[in-house]
Structure formats: structure tokens, C-alpha cells
Amino acid sequence: MDKTIVIIGAGNVATHLSMALKNAGYPILQVFSRKIDNAFTLASLVEAKAIDKLSDIEREADLYIIAVSDVAIGQVVEAMPEVKGVVAHTAGSVDMDVLNRFARYGVIYPFQTLTKEKELDFSRVPLLIEENGSVARRILLELANAISDHVQKANSAKRKTLHIGAVFSSNFVNHLYAIAYELLKKEGLDFSLLEPLIKETTQKALTMSPIDAQTGPARRGDRAVMERHKELLNSNSFYHEIYSILSESISKMYAD
Amino acid sequence: MDKTIVIIGAGNVATHLSMALKNAGYPILQVFSRKIDNAFTLASLVEAKAIDKLSDIEREADLYIIAVSDVAIGQVVEAMPEVKGVVAHTAGSVDMDVLNRFARYGVIYPFQTLTKEKELDFSRVPLLIEENGSVARRILLELANAISDHVQKANSAKRKTLHIGAVFSSNFVNHLYAIAYELLKKEGLDFSLLEPLIKETTQKALTMSPIDAQTGPARRGDRAVMERHKELLNSNSFYHEIYSILSESISKMYAD
């Protein structure tokens, strides 16, 4: 419990990660943000020092967590001083090797939608770990296991696949909800009518596997119902096309 | 509580509806199924008489519920004797007027995935009601309110829209889960890794509205990430196309 940590970034991921580490007993030495106000806000939450110059970074920390936007990671890496500790980023779709100017490095990727303002039980956030050697492995696994019950190793290729899986099962799913919301609203129907169905669908997919849980006209091959639905969607070419391609994809999955 | 009921059909919907009505204190007089064994199975659950000839139907019941497959509704209607009670079907995408040879008729549409073997708290199943007059209205609303806390009126047009909404937010959502499942499996990753993300996504959509809850590369307009994802999906033309059209649809929804 004596490992010391520097947090680079003060956004959603930086906030949740550093608070979880602090709560697990690890001292946060510094919080860096280009905007000193943001650094102060997070630093005060975790009793750390706020800094806005990467050259002010403490050289002797055990772990440096770079939790900034994907495009900013390269700039941070270039501007950071030499450090002996492990340097890790937190991005889903960025290769670990962006950190290879350091001796010991890795990735700690929290696989969840994190919103600063929304509280979250961090012990249930899956953490995906990758590292370049035994020192980085030991430190990253120790800290990850101290804050999450779902720590798993995943190399850069696997992490990218998970990121795509997240787009399909979270971003795209939410968009389908948004389409249903719009369709219902046009007919004066409340989205909350769908709540029991949505909850049951999710529960079934998670308990039975979504392959077995599939129902509906496309799975049954009920062409008459599908044609009637597509007619009703004719006024919106995007919704019509989404209906067609998803129905075809379902047919294909269960025809094979 | 003295209304008497005849159930026509012995499948998923017939089973859940008649058990809920029986539990609410309404006597089920008869259960009809072309297959007498199926009629017996459900009839024994609800202490009713099993029949396999529509001509044997009790003429004096208050309500006749036709809970058979969409295509069979017309045949049942033709073969049924004259009855004085209210006749209702339970289908999402079938017009109420299919029943217009009767004097009093309507629809009671349970808006949920019902599986015979899976127990369900029926009081939380939305019931959508349509009817052709005050007698049918009174009986259908009384019985619906006795078994569900979510009774709502919906004409045939609204019911069809809800059916499409259900396809988007349940059948298609499940297919996106199935795609994520397949993508992860190919990389040796377990679908359960997505569980916290899936639960949080659903919870956010239901509490915030899915329009506000949208996140991800398409919402942010992060072209670089989207192009990398599409490259990784090049080997499956369906998944590639689904990724493209859903991303474009998200861009369009938030550009307007």
C-alpha cells in the first residue's frame, strides 16, 4: 500500500481512477492538468498537489497514469521528463507502444462509460491490463486488483476488439433506443412503455447468451410482418435501411 | 369478479394471460386448442374445461380471448359460433377489425416477450387496449386493470408503431449483442466482460432518455477511430455495413 501515483489528466477517467486508488489507500502525489483549475478540483478530492507543467512532475513515483484524450497521449509522452516508475495510459483504441520511450509501461483500460458527475461502484468496472515486462505487470496488477473485482489481461488487439464490441453493444444499442423513442414520440406514445421489454431483453441476453435469446419477425422469417414494418418506415430512409440490414443480418446469422 | 372467460389458444400469451386472470379471481370456463393435449395442460393449470372444437364453445361467457398466432386469427374468427360476449385478440400487428363479424370486440396486447416456461410478474407487463364500444371497453379495462399496473389505450396504428419500436429496442438490440458476442468470441474474449457496460447503457437510456445518453465515436464525430473500426470489420460485410449505417444515422440525428 505504499505505491505512489501521479495522475496526468483531470477528466472522467482520471477522476474515477484516482478516487478509487485513493480510497484503496494509495497516495496520489500529484494531479496534472493543463488547466490548473481542473487540476485543483481533482487534486483537492484526492489530497494531492495540483500542477500544470509536466516538467514539475515528481520523478520518484511508482506509477504515472496518463488519462487524457486519445489525441493528447502522444503530446504528453513527448513532454514528460524521464521517470523510473511505470507509465500507463487508459485508452481503448491506442497501442501500448506509444509509450515505448519509457523503460516500463503498460495500459490500464477501464471498460465502462464513465461520467465524472455520475457515481459508480468502481469494483465492478472491468479493468483490462497490458504491460511490457514484469515490473510493470506487478505494479499494474496490484493496483488494478485493489480497486476492481474484474481485472483481466488484454493485449492491444484484444482491447481494440473490445472497443468495437462496446460500440455495438452500448453506443449502437443506445441509438436503436433513440430511434424507438423518436418513432413512439411521433405517435404520442411514451418511451417508458418500452421499459419492461428493454429490461427483459437485456436480462435474457446476459443470462442465456444473445445468440439463443433472439426472437422477432426476422428470426422467425415472418416476411409479411417485415414488409408491413418497412412500409411504415418509408418516410425515413435511414430507419428503413437500418431495419433492412439488421433483419438481413439476423436472417443470415440463423441460416448458417 | 364474476366475469367468465374462454381462452382460445394454449401458447405463451394464452398461458400467461389466463393464469394472471385466474389469479385475479376470474373463472376461466374453457381452454380451446386444436391439440387437445395442449388444451388439457393449460386447462388443468387454471381449472378450466379443455376443448378442441370451436363449436363446443360456451356461448354465455363475458370475454373470449383469441391468443393464437397472427395467421390463425382469421381462421378462428370464421369458425367461431355466434357469441354475445366481448371477443378480443392479443396480436401486435393485426387490425382490430378482423373481429368485426362480432357485435363487441377489441384487442388486449401484452407488450412483452412472453415465454411459457419463464415466470414473469404480470402486473408489470404493459397491456394495450383497443375496443369498438362501451361494453367492450368496460370489460376489457376492468380485466386488464385487474392483472396489470400498466394498462393503456392504443388504437391499431399506435399498436403497430409500438410493435416496430419493440423490434428496434428488443430484437435488433439483441442482434447487436449477438454481433458483439461473435466479435469477442473470435478473439477469445468472454461476452460477460460487456455486462457492466450493457447494464449501465440500458439504465442511462431509461433514466436520461436515449437521445441525451448517446456517447461514442459517431456522436463525437471521431472519424479516425471509426475508420480504424471499419478496417477491423472488413472481413464481415454485414457487420461493416451495420457499423457504417448506424454511425451515419447517429451523425445525422445529432447534426440536425
Short mmCIF file of all heavy atoms in Angstrom, two decimals, chain B residues 19-68:
data_model
loop_
_atom_site.label_atom_id
_atom_site.label_comp_id
_atom_site.label_asym_id
_atom_site.label_seq_id
_atom_site.Cartn_x
_atom_site.Cartn_y
_atom_site.Cartn_z
N MET B 19 -53.47 -17.42 -16.71
CA MET B 19 -53.03 -17.60 -15.32
C MET B 19 -53.17 -16.31 -14.53
O MET B 19 -53.59 -16.31 -13.37
CB MET B 19 -51.60 -18.14 -15.27
CG MET B 19 -51.56 -19.62 -15.64
SD MET B 19 -49.88 -20.31 -15.67
CE MET B 19 -49.44 -20.15 -13.94
N ALA B 20 -52.83 -15.19 -15.17
CA ALA B 20 -52.98 -13.90 -14.47
C ALA B 20 -54.45 -13.62 -14.16
O ALA B 20 -54.79 -13.16 -13.05
CB ALA B 20 -52.39 -12.77 -15.32
N LEU B 21 -55.35 -13.92 -15.11
CA LEU B 21 -56.78 -13.68 -14.88
C LEU B 21 -57.32 -14.61 -13.80
O LEU B 21 -58.09 -14.18 -12.92
CB LEU B 21 -57.55 -13.88 -16.20
CG LEU B 21 -57.34 -12.76 -17.24
CD1 LEU B 21 -57.80 -13.21 -18.62
CD2 LEU B 21 -58.08 -11.48 -16.81
N LYS B 22 -56.92 -15.85 -13.87
CA LYS B 22 -57.34 -16.82 -12.83
C LYS B 22 -56.87 -16.36 -11.45
O LYS B 22 -57.65 -16.35 -10.48
CB LYS B 22 -56.74 -18.20 -13.17
CG LYS B 22 -56.98 -19.26 -12.13
CD LYS B 22 -58.41 -19.73 -12.19
CE LYS B 22 -58.71 -20.77 -11.11
NZ LYS B 22 -60.16 -21.00 -11.00
N ASN B 23 -55.60 -15.93 -11.36
CA ASN B 23 -55.07 -15.46 -10.07
C ASN B 23 -55.79 -14.22 -9.57
O ASN B 23 -55.85 -13.97 -8.36
CB ASN B 23 -53.56 -15.16 -10.18
CG ASN B 23 -52.75 -16.44 -10.32
OD1 ASN B 23 -53.20 -17.52 -9.93
ND2 ASN B 23 -51.56 -16.32 -10.89
N ALA B 24 -56.33 -13.44 -10.51
CA ALA B 24 -57.06 -12.24 -10.11
C ALA B 24 -58.51 -12.56 -9.73
O ALA B 24 -59.28 -11.67 -9.38
CB ALA B 24 -57.03 -11.21 -11.23
N GLY B 25 -58.89 -13.84 -9.82
CA GLY B 25 -60.21 -14.25 -9.34
C GLY B 25 -61.26 -14.48 -10.41
O GLY B 25 -62.41 -14.76 -10.10
N TYR B 26 -60.88 -14.35 -11.67
CA TYR B 26 -61.85 -14.56 -12.74
C TYR B 26 -61.90 -16.03 -13.14
O TYR B 26 -60.85 -16.62 -13.40
CB TYR B 26 -61.49 -13.70 -13.97
CG TYR B 26 -61.65 -12.23 -13.71
CD1 TYR B 26 -60.56 -11.44 -13.41
CD2 TYR B 26 -62.92 -11.65 -13.72
CE1 TYR B 26 -60.71 -10.08 -13.14
CE2 TYR B 26 -63.08 -10.29 -13.46
CZ TYR B 26 -61.96 -9.52 -13.17
OH TYR B 26 -62.12 -8.19 -12.89
N PRO B 27 -63.11 -16.61 -13.20
CA PRO B 27 -63.20 -18.02 -13.61
C PRO B 27 -62.92 -18.19 -15.10
O PRO B 27 -63.49 -17.47 -15.93
CB PRO B 27 -64.67 -18.39 -13.30
CG PRO B 27 -65.30 -17.20 -12.68
CD PRO B 27 -64.42 -16.02 -12.88
N ILE B 28 -62.02 -19.10 -15.42
CA ILE B 28 -61.79 -19.48 -16.82
C ILE B 28 -62.68 -20.68 -17.09
O ILE B 28 -62.53 -21.74 -16.46
CB ILE B 28 -60.31 -19.86 -17.06
CG1 ILE B 28 -59.34 -18.83 -16.46
CG2 ILE B 28 -60.07 -20.07 -18.55
CD1 ILE B 28 -59.33 -17.49 -17.12
N LEU B 29 -63.64 -20.52 -17.99
CA LEU B 29 -64.57 -21.62 -18.25
C LEU B 29 -63.93 -22.72 -19.10
O LEU B 29 -64.01 -23.90 -18.78
CB LEU B 29 -65.82 -21.09 -18.99
CG LEU B 29 -66.64 -20.02 -18.27
CD1 LEU B 29 -67.86 -19.64 -19.11
CD2 LEU B 29 -67.08 -20.52 -16.90
N GLN B 30 -63.29 -22.30 -20.20
CA GLN B 30 -62.77 -23.28 -21.15
C GLN B 30 -61.43 -22.80 -21.72
O GLN B 30 -61.17 -21.60 -21.81
CB GLN B 30 -63.74 -23.42 -22.34
CG GLN B 30 -65.11 -23.92 -21.97
CD GLN B 30 -66.04 -23.88 -23.18
OE1 GLN B 30 -66.13 -22.86 -23.87
NE2 GLN B 30 -66.74 -24.97 -23.43
N VAL B 31 -60.62 -23.79 -22.10
CA VAL B 31 -59.42 -23.50 -22.89
C VAL B 31 -59.52 -24.31 -24.17
O VAL B 31 -59.66 -25.54 -24.13
CB VAL B 31 -58.13 -23.90 -22.13
CG1 VAL B 31 -56.92 -23.79 -23.06
CG2 VAL B 31 -57.93 -23.03 -20.90
N PHE B 32 -59.48 -23.61 -25.31
CA PHE B 32 -59.51 -24.29 -26.60
C PHE B 32 -58.11 -24.40 -27.18
O PHE B 32 -57.34 -23.44 -27.18
CB PHE B 32 -60.39 -23.52 -27.60
CG PHE B 32 -60.16 -23.94 -29.02
CD1 PHE B 32 -60.85 -25.03 -29.56
CD2 PHE B 32 -59.23 -23.28 -29.82
CE1 PHE B 32 -60.62 -25.43 -30.88
CE2 PHE B 32 -59.00 -23.69 -31.14
CZ PHE B 32 -59.70 -24.77 -31.66
N SER B 33 -57.78 -25.58 -27.70
CA SER B 33 -56.63 -25.71 -28.59
C SER B 33 -56.95 -26.82 -29.57
O SER B 33 -57.62 -27.79 -29.22
CB SER B 33 -55.36 -26.06 -27.81
OG SER B 33 -54.31 -26.34 -28.73
N ARG B 34 -56.49 -26.67 -30.81
CA ARG B 34 -56.71 -27.73 -31.79
C ARG B 34 -56.08 -29.03 -31.31
O ARG B 34 -56.55 -30.11 -31.63
CB ARG B 34 -56.05 -27.34 -33.12
CG ARG B 34 -57.06 -26.85 -34.12
CD ARG B 34 -56.40 -26.45 -35.40
NE ARG B 34 -56.54 -25.03 -35.60
CZ ARG B 34 -56.00 -24.35 -36.61
NH1 ARG B 34 -55.26 -24.97 -37.50
NH2 ARG B 34 -56.19 -23.06 -36.72
N LYS B 35 -54.98 -28.88 -30.56
CA LYS B 35 -54.35 -30.08 -29.98
C LYS B 35 -54.87 -30.23 -28.55
O LYS B 35 -54.53 -29.43 -27.67
CB LYS B 35 -52.83 -29.91 -29.98
CG LYS B 35 -52.29 -29.82 -31.40
CD LYS B 35 -50.78 -29.67 -31.41
CE LYS B 35 -50.30 -29.51 -32.85
NZ LYS B 35 -48.96 -28.90 -32.93
N ILE B 36 -55.69 -31.26 -28.34
CA ILE B 36 -56.38 -31.39 -27.05
C ILE B 36 -55.39 -31.53 -25.89
O ILE B 36 -55.66 -31.06 -24.77
CB ILE B 36 -57.40 -32.56 -27.08
CG1 ILE B 36 -58.36 -32.49 -25.88
CG2 ILE B 36 -56.69 -33.90 -27.16
CD1 ILE B 36 -59.34 -31.34 -25.94
N ASP B 37 -54.22 -32.11 -26.15
CA ASP B 37 -53.23 -32.25 -25.07
C ASP B 37 -52.78 -30.88 -24.57
O ASP B 37 -52.63 -30.66 -23.36
CB ASP B 37 -52.00 -33.02 -25.57
CG ASP B 37 -52.28 -34.52 -25.68
OD1 ASP B 37 -53.39 -34.93 -25.27
OD2 ASP B 37 -51.41 -35.24 -26.18
N ASN B 38 -52.55 -29.95 -25.50
CA ASN B 38 -52.17 -28.59 -25.10
C ASN B 38 -53.30 -27.91 -24.34
O ASN B 38 -53.06 -27.20 -23.35
CB ASN B 38 -51.80 -27.75 -26.33
CG ASN B 38 -50.55 -28.26 -27.02
OD1 ASN B 38 -49.83 -29.10 -26.47
ND2 ASN B 38 -50.29 -27.78 -28.22
N ALA B 39 -54.53 -28.15 -24.80
CA ALA B 39 -55.68 -27.58 -24.10
C ALA B 39 -55.75 -28.13 -22.67
O ALA B 39 -55.95 -27.37 -21.72
CB ALA B 39 -56.97 -27.90 -24.86
N PHE B 40 -55.53 -29.42 -22.52
CA PHE B 40 -55.56 -30.03 -21.18
C PHE B 40 -54.48 -29.44 -20.27
O PHE B 40 -54.72 -29.16 -19.11
CB PHE B 40 -55.37 -31.56 -21.28
CG PHE B 40 -56.66 -32.31 -21.48
CD1 PHE B 40 -56.85 -33.15 -22.57
CD2 PHE B 40 -57.71 -32.18 -20.56
CE1 PHE B 40 -58.05 -33.83 -22.76
CE2 PHE B 40 -58.91 -32.86 -20.74
CZ PHE B 40 -59.08 -33.69 -21.85
N THR B 41 -53.29 -29.27 -20.82
CA THR B 41 -52.18 -28.77 -20.00
C THR B 41 -52.52 -27.41 -19.38
O THR B 41 -52.38 -27.21 -18.17
CB THR B 41 -50.90 -28.62 -20.86
OG1 THR B 41 -50.61 -29.89 -21.43
CG2 THR B 41 -49.72 -28.17 -20.02
N LEU B 42 -52.99 -26.48 -20.22
CA LEU B 42 -53.32 -25.16 -19.70
C LEU B 42 -54.60 -25.20 -18.86
O LEU B 42 -54.67 -24.59 -17.79
CB LEU B 42 -53.46 -24.15 -20.85
CG LEU B 42 -53.85 -22.72 -20.45
CD1 LEU B 42 -52.94 -22.18 -19.35
CD2 LEU B 42 -53.82 -21.80 -21.66
N ALA B 43 -55.60 -25.97 -19.33
CA ALA B 43 -56.88 -26.04 -18.60
C ALA B 43 -56.67 -26.54 -17.17
O ALA B 43 -57.29 -26.03 -16.22
CB ALA B 43 -57.85 -26.96 -19.34
N SER B 44 -55.77 -27.50 -17.01
CA SER B 44 -55.55 -28.02 -15.66
C SER B 44 -54.90 -26.97 -14.76
O SER B 44 -55.15 -26.91 -13.56
CB SER B 44 -54.71 -29.30 -15.71
OG SER B 44 -53.38 -28.98 -16.04
N LEU B 45 -54.07 -26.11 -15.35
CA LEU B 45 -53.43 -25.03 -14.57
C LEU B 45 -54.45 -24.01 -14.07
O LEU B 45 -54.27 -23.41 -13.00
CB LEU B 45 -52.39 -24.29 -15.42
CG LEU B 45 -51.04 -24.94 -15.65
CD1 LEU B 45 -50.20 -24.09 -16.61
CD2 LEU B 45 -50.29 -25.10 -14.32
N VAL B 46 -55.50 -23.79 -14.85
CA VAL B 46 -56.44 -22.72 -14.50
C VAL B 46 -57.83 -23.28 -14.15
O VAL B 46 -58.81 -22.53 -14.13
CB VAL B 46 -56.55 -21.67 -15.63
CG1 VAL B 46 -55.22 -20.95 -15.81
CG2 VAL B 46 -57.00 -22.30 -16.94
N GLU B 47 -57.90 -24.58 -13.92
CA GLU B 47 -59.15 -25.24 -13.50
C GLU B 47 -60.29 -24.97 -14.49
O GLU B 47 -61.41 -24.61 -14.09
CB GLU B 47 -59.56 -24.80 -12.10
CG GLU B 47 -58.53 -25.21 -11.05
CD GLU B 47 -58.80 -24.56 -9.69
OE1 GLU B 47 -59.98 -24.56 -9.28
OE2 GLU B 47 -57.84 -24.06 -9.07
N ALA B 48 -59.98 -25.14 -15.77
CA ALA B 48 -60.99 -24.93 -16.81
C ALA B 48 -61.25 -26.25 -17.53
O ALA B 48 -60.59 -27.26 -17.27
CB ALA B 48 -60.50 -23.88 -17.80
N LYS B 49 -62.22 -26.23 -18.43
CA LYS B 49 -62.51 -27.40 -19.25
C LYS B 49 -61.70 -27.28 -20.54
O LYS B 49 -61.63 -26.20 -21.15
CB LYS B 49 -64.00 -27.40 -19.57
CG LYS B 49 -64.52 -28.74 -20.06
CD LYS B 49 -66.03 -28.72 -20.26
CE LYS B 49 -66.41 -29.85 -21.22
NZ LYS B 49 -67.78 -29.71 -21.74
N ALA B 50 -61.10 -28.39 -20.98
CA ALA B 50 -60.33 -28.38 -22.22
C ALA B 50 -61.24 -28.76 -23.38
O ALA B 50 -61.99 -29.74 -23.29
CB ALA B 50 -59.17 -29.36 -22.13
N ILE B 51 -61.18 -28.01 -24.48
CA ILE B 51 -61.93 -28.37 -25.69
C ILE B 51 -61.04 -28.25 -26.92
O ILE B 51 -60.06 -27.50 -26.90
CB ILE B 51 -63.20 -27.48 -25.88
CG1 ILE B 51 -62.81 -25.99 -25.97
CG2 ILE B 51 -64.21 -27.70 -24.76
CD1 ILE B 51 -63.96 -25.07 -26.35
N ASP B 52 -61.39 -29.01 -27.96
CA ASP B 52 -60.63 -28.91 -29.21
C ASP B 52 -61.54 -28.66 -30.41
O ASP B 52 -61.12 -28.81 -31.55
CB ASP B 52 -59.73 -30.14 -29.43
CG ASP B 52 -60.54 -31.42 -29.57
OD1 ASP B 52 -61.79 -31.36 -29.40
OD2 ASP B 52 -59.94 -32.47 -29.85
N LYS B 53 -62.82 -28.31 -30.13
CA LYS B 53 -63.73 -27.92 -31.22
C LYS B 53 -64.30 -26.55 -30.90
O LYS B 53 -64.86 -26.34 -29.81
CB LYS B 53 -64.86 -28.92 -31.35
CG LYS B 53 -64.45 -30.25 -31.94
CD LYS B 53 -65.67 -31.13 -32.19
CE LYS B 53 -65.24 -32.55 -32.50
NZ LYS B 53 -64.60 -33.21 -31.31
N LEU B 54 -64.16 -25.61 -31.83
CA LEU B 54 -64.69 -24.27 -31.56
C LEU B 54 -66.22 -24.30 -31.41
O LEU B 54 -66.80 -23.44 -30.74
CB LEU B 54 -64.28 -23.31 -32.68
CG LEU B 54 -62.80 -22.88 -32.61
CD1 LEU B 54 -62.37 -22.17 -33.89
CD2 LEU B 54 -62.58 -21.96 -31.41
N SER B 55 -66.88 -25.30 -32.03
CA SER B 55 -68.34 -25.40 -31.90
C SER B 55 -68.75 -25.76 -30.46
O SER B 55 -69.91 -25.57 -30.09
CB SER B 55 -68.89 -26.43 -32.88
OG SER B 55 -68.23 -27.68 -32.67
N ASP B 56 -67.81 -26.25 -29.66
CA ASP B 56 -68.12 -26.58 -28.26
C ASP B 56 -68.01 -25.38 -27.33
O ASP B 56 -68.20 -25.49 -26.12
CB ASP B 56 -67.17 -27.67 -27.74
CG ASP B 56 -67.50 -29.03 -28.36
OD1 ASP B 56 -68.62 -29.17 -28.89
OD2 ASP B 56 -66.63 -29.92 -28.30
N ILE B 57 -67.70 -24.23 -27.89
CA ILE B 57 -67.51 -23.05 -27.05
C ILE B 57 -68.79 -22.65 -26.31
O ILE B 57 -69.87 -22.61 -26.91
CB ILE B 57 -66.98 -21.87 -27.91
CG1 ILE B 57 -65.46 -21.92 -28.00
CG2 ILE B 57 -67.41 -20.53 -27.33
CD1 ILE B 57 -64.88 -20.78 -28.79
N GLU B 58 -68.64 -22.40 -25.05
CA GLU B 58 -69.70 -21.87 -24.19
C GLU B 58 -70.17 -20.51 -24.74
O GLU B 58 -69.37 -19.60 -24.93
CB GLU B 58 -69.10 -21.71 -22.79
CG GLU B 58 -69.91 -20.94 -21.81
CD GLU B 58 -71.18 -21.67 -21.45
OE1 GLU B 58 -71.06 -22.85 -21.01
OE2 GLU B 58 -72.28 -21.09 -21.60
N ARG B 59 -71.49 -20.40 -25.02
CA ARG B 59 -72.00 -19.17 -25.65
C ARG B 59 -72.15 -17.99 -24.68
O ARG B 59 -72.26 -16.85 -25.11
CB ARG B 59 -73.37 -19.39 -26.30
CG ARG B 59 -73.46 -20.56 -27.26
CD ARG B 59 -72.61 -20.33 -28.51
NE ARG B 59 -73.04 -21.16 -29.62
CZ ARG B 59 -72.62 -22.41 -29.86
NH1 ARG B 59 -71.72 -22.97 -29.06
NH2 ARG B 59 -73.08 -23.10 -30.91
N GLU B 60 -72.20 -18.27 -23.38
CA GLU B 60 -72.62 -17.24 -22.43
C GLU B 60 -71.47 -16.59 -21.66
O GLU B 60 -71.70 -15.93 -20.64
CB GLU B 60 -73.63 -17.80 -21.42
CG GLU B 60 -74.86 -18.45 -22.05
CD GLU B 60 -75.75 -17.42 -22.77
OE1 GLU B 60 -75.86 -16.29 -22.27
OE2 GLU B 60 -76.29 -17.74 -23.85
N ALA B 61 -70.24 -16.77 -22.11
CA ALA B 61 -69.13 -16.16 -21.38
C ALA B 61 -69.11 -14.64 -21.61
O ALA B 61 -69.72 -14.13 -22.55
CB ALA B 61 -67.80 -16.76 -21.83
N ASP B 62 -68.42 -13.92 -20.70
CA ASP B 62 -68.33 -12.47 -20.86
C ASP B 62 -67.21 -12.05 -21.81
O ASP B 62 -67.30 -11.01 -22.45
CB ASP B 62 -68.08 -11.82 -19.49
CG ASP B 62 -69.26 -12.01 -18.56
OD1 ASP B 62 -70.30 -11.39 -18.81
OD2 ASP B 62 -69.15 -12.83 -17.62
N LEU B 63 -66.16 -12.87 -21.87
CA LEU B 63 -65.00 -12.49 -22.69
C LEU B 63 -64.38 -13.73 -23.35
O LEU B 63 -64.19 -14.77 -22.69
CB LEU B 63 -63.94 -11.80 -21.81
CG LEU B 63 -62.65 -11.35 -22.50
CD1 LEU B 63 -62.91 -10.30 -23.57
CD2 LEU B 63 -61.64 -10.81 -21.48
N TYR B 64 -64.06 -13.58 -24.62
CA TYR B 64 -63.37 -14.62 -25.40
C TYR B 64 -62.04 -14.05 -25.84
O TYR B 64 -62.01 -13.05 -26.57
CB TYR B 64 -64.21 -15.01 -26.62
CG TYR B 64 -65.57 -15.56 -26.25
CD1 TYR B 64 -66.61 -14.70 -25.90
CD2 TYR B 64 -65.79 -16.94 -26.19
CE1 TYR B 64 -67.85 -15.21 -25.51
CE2 TYR B 64 -67.03 -17.45 -25.80
CZ TYR B 64 -68.05 -16.57 -25.46
OH TYR B 64 -69.26 -17.07 -25.07
N ILE B 65 -60.96 -14.64 -25.37
CA ILE B 65 -59.64 -14.13 -25.74
C ILE B 65 -59.01 -15.04 -26.79
O ILE B 65 -58.75 -16.21 -26.52
CB ILE B 65 -58.72 -14.03 -24.50
CG1 ILE B 65 -59.31 -13.03 -23.49
CG2 ILE B 65 -57.31 -13.60 -24.92
CD1 ILE B 65 -58.48 -12.86 -22.22
N ILE B 66 -58.78 -14.48 -27.97
CA ILE B 66 -58.14 -15.25 -29.05
C ILE B 66 -56.64 -14.98 -29.00
O ILE B 66 -56.16 -13.93 -29.42
CB ILE B 66 -58.69 -14.82 -30.42
CG1 ILE B 66 -60.21 -15.00 -30.46
CG2 ILE B 66 -58.03 -15.64 -31.54
CD1 ILE B 66 -60.87 -14.55 -31.76
N ALA B 67 -55.89 -15.92 -28.44
CA ALA B 67 -54.44 -15.77 -28.28
C ALA B 67 -53.75 -16.86 -29.08
O ALA B 67 -53.17 -17.79 -28.53
CB ALA B 67 -54.05 -15.82 -26.81
N VAL B 68 -53.89 -16.74 -30.42
CA VAL B 68 -53.25 -17.71 -31.32
C VAL B 68 -52.30 -16.93 -32.24
O VAL B 68 -52.23 -15.71 -32.17
CB VAL B 68 -54.31 -18.47 -32.16
CG1 VAL B 68 -55.26 -19.25 -31.25
CG2 VAL B 68 -55.12 -17.50 -33.04
#
